[in-house]
Amino acid sequence: MGARSSDILCDDIFGVSPIRVQKSGNLEGMHVRKNSLRDNWDDEHGYYSKLYQSFLFISLSTFQLLLYNSSFFAFYTEYHLGEVLDGHYRITAGSGKGVFSTVVQAKDLKAGENDPEVAIKIICNEKERYKSGKREVSVLEKLSSADREDKRHCVRFISSFMYRDHLCLVLESLHMNLREVIKKFGRDIGLKLTAVRTYSKQLFIALKHLKDCSILHCDIKPDNILVNGSRNMLKLCDFGSALPAGINDITPILVSRFYRAPEIILGLPYDHSLDMWSVGCCLYELYTGKILFPGGTNNGMLWLHMELKGPFPKKMLRKGAFTTQHFDQDLNFHATDENLVKKAVNKVCMNVKPSGVGPKISSFPGEDPKMLSRFKDLLEKIFVLDPQKRLTVSQALSHPFITGK
Ligand SMILES: Nc1ncnc2c1ncn2[C@@H]1O[C@H](COP(=O)(O)OP(=O)(O)OP(=O)(O)O)[C@@H](O)[C@H]1O
């Protein structure tokens, strides 16, 4: 049906060629990623670190156990396998953990002959999270109702209910997220280009759907892209940060940092092109197994953007609400990021020579050179610093890397 069967692919294309494993055998990227990801979660602007979260979880669970004797649905959710939620869904397994939610697999006891497997996102019991959970429900409803045939690669919304003061979202059940896919099947050095191409096309279809529905996802990253069991079909998930297009509340912390477009960091108006930037970062990561912009701060991110693409257009800098945090009055970059200062990156560095994406992408024996050069061209056009000149989703869908023509 629709997206589920539109790209029947042999399993092999989602593997990694043995030659690539040999070539990059030191797994250097794996080390970088582990450190960098922890850093990304523990954002300077208020995300909880996993450690803090676990500590809170343990303390609060114990506290609640003492308080309510048998209660286990604390601020951070714990669940029992076999527990039936809302008299309707029996929990069969854990599935994932976000910063403010727990996702479990469950069996729909009223499904009859239909597929009984669902995923339930249990939002943590806190006022702000409840509100953002309700917003996520309305975004999911809009996306699902505008895609009756299930062809647009956004996770299907089934229903929602309250359970012990927790908002629970019932979603179609998928298999694993792309971060896990890269780790398991790309062995930290990336996936085959044919697989990246299939995933690219599906991600662009999802972006097109978002555009048609006037929604900005605002948190696209490998963790928020799920694949089915045979890994030939992906879907965008986690619409908890999504915004209606055109709202434009300027904030420097929208989108997870590594995937954050420069216009967000500079405080410029933003639109659908911010999601295109994040998708570009994901595609690079899928092919190389490495994070393209692992900046420790927004200032570090801007430096990495300029290393890749050269100086920002002055016109763009002049309009940014946060430009003065990163540039002096002559619009020369001012490095404040600890790592840049340690590395003695010049305070004034407008002459930075861009490397471009091409040299960062190795060609591997067995990859079609024409397809690879088209992939590089696609990324180069996505990573345009000026959001108004960045590749649009319609241009992406008709790019030769996607169409093969
Ligand atoms: N429909 C689903 N099927 C299977 N697994 C899922 C599903 N939805 C989410 N997950 C798993 O749970 C994880 C967390 O989900 P999600 O990103 O929606 O939660 P979150 O609390 O909004 O996350 P965060 O705020 O940390 O980005 C995902 O990365 C994925 O591994």
Side-chain angles (χ1 to χ4, degrees), residues 139 210-211 213-220 239 241-248 254 264 270-275:
V139 168
L210 289 178
K211 191 164 187 194
C213 294
S214 296
I215 291 168
L216 311 178
H217 185 286
C218 299
D219 198 16
I220 296 180
F239 292 87
S241 307
L243 292 172
I247 287 278
N248 260 304
L254 199 64
I264 304 297
Y270 51 84
D271 70 359
H272 296 279
S273 47
L274 84 99
D275 285 332

Side-chain angles (χ1 to χ4, degrees), residues 183-345:
K183 203 166 172 193
K184 194 163 175 192
F185 300 98
R187 298 178 212 166
D188 294 292
I189 56 157
L191 306 181
K192 286 182 178 179
L193 197 54
T194 39
V196 177
R197 185 176 159 196
T198 301
Y199 287 154
S200 307
K201 183 174 178 188
Q202 297 181 5
L203 279 169
F204 293 142
I205 292 172
L207 286 191
K208 169 87 169 51
H209 189 50
L210 289 178
K211 191 164 187 194
D212 292 345
C213 294
S214 296
I215 291 168
L216 311 178
H217 185 286
C218 299
D219 198 16
I220 296 180
K221 56 183 176 180
D223 319 63
N224 289 339
I225 301 168
L226 303 173
V227 293
N228 63 352
S230 44
R231 305 188 307 284
N232 60 4
M233 192 272 301
L234 65 69
K235 290 199 171 184
L236 269 183
C237 77
D238 192 0
F239 292 87
S241 307
L243 292 172
I247 287 278
N248 260 304
D249 280 340
I250 304 291
T251 159
I253 58 163
L254 199 64
V255 188
S256 297
R257 192 172 56 247
F258 301 157
Y259 307 89
R260 192 175 286 157
E263 61 269 27
I264 304 297
I265 301 178
L266 291 170
L268 287 151
Y270 51 84
D271 70 359
H272 296 279
S273 47
L274 84 99
D275 285 332
M276 180 59 83
W277 182 278
S278 307
V279 164
C281 297
C282 294
L283 299 184
Y284 176 90
E285 205 167 321
L286 281 175
Y287 185 65
T288 64
K290 298 194 173 72
I291 292 167
L292 180 56
F293 302 116
T297 60
N298 269 349
N299 186 258
M301 289 294 292
L302 289 179
W303 172 249
L304 293 174
H305 295 158
M306 289 189 292
E307 266 193 333
L308 194 82
K309 300 299 283 191
F312 283 95
K314 292 208 164 163
K315 206 171 130 198
M316 195 176 158
L317 292 181
R318 279 192 210 102
K319 286 192 214 144
F322 308 128
T323 298
T324 52
Q325 295 173 17
H326 308 286
F327 292 83
D328 66 20
Q329 54 193 10
D330 298 323
L331 300 180
N332 290 309
F333 181 68
H334 178 71
T336 55
D337 180 275
E338 210 179 289
N339 285 326
L340 298 181
V341 174
K342 252 192 248 159
K343 278 195 238 156
V345 165

